[in-house]
Amino acid sequence: EKSAAWLAKMEKKAGVKKTESGLVYKVVKAGDENVKATDDRDVVVVHYKGTTEAGKVFDSSYDRGEPAEFPLNAVIKGWGEGVMLIGQGGKIKMWLHPDLAYGPQAMSEEIGPNAALYFEVELLEIVK
């Protein structure tokens, strides 16, 4: 319930949209529309920051000082869906419902069961 209320509040912010799956997002910078990840097997190079609804950072490639590289099928569902909405060079903010994040399982001290999460992702490169 707490997560649902938080997501409903975020959804009302200016420029924020929601996909059919329930991903709440805002494209900060569209990036190159001709260079996009189109398949969940695509590998992306990104800078990102993930926070809890309380604003606590639980993971950040910025803090580590180097971008991360992942195949989109190896990340949580909402994250992969969001990255496919922008092109190379783009940036997106995403608020993930627990169903699009880690669901009922606790992932760490910071990420409890049924936690909604917030991510800022900058798509640096797509490795086809």
Side-chain angles (χ1 to χ4, degrees), residues 1-110:
E1 288 178 15
K2 183 179 170 191
S3 292
W6 182 65
L7 290 168
K9 181 179 168 187
M10 296 301 113
E11 206 178 319
K12 291 182 175 102
K13 290 183 168 217
V16 172
K17 298 177 181 174
K18 186 175 182 179
T19 66
E20 198 173 297
S21 72
L23 173 69
V24 178
Y25 72 97
K26 180 177 183 174
V27 174
V28 176
K29 183 179 173 188
D32 186 341
E33 289 294 317
N34 297 312
V35 185
K36 291 179 104 168
T38 56
D39 187 288
D40 71 355
R41 293 169 297 184
D42 288 343
V43 174
V44 295
V45 179
V46 295
H47 257 312
Y48 69 95
K49 174 175 78 171
T51 65
T52 62
E53 43 182 290
K56 181 166 177 48
V57 176
F58 60 82
D59 194 9
S60 173
S61 65
Y62 296 107
D63 291 351
R64 288 191 296 278
E66 63 179 275
E69 187 172 316
F70 313 104
L72 290 177
N73 61 9
V75 296
I76 55 179
K77 187 178 175 186
W79 207 93
E81 180 184 351
V83 171
M84 286 189 194
L85 296 172
I86 56 173
Q88 188 167 287
K91 186 172 183 177
I92 190 168
K93 294 179 177 186
M94 302 181 282
W95 295 267
L96 277 57
H97 185 280
D99 292 346
L100 297 175
Y102 297 105
Q105 63 195 45
M107 287 307 295
S108 64
E109 264 185 49
E110 298 95 349

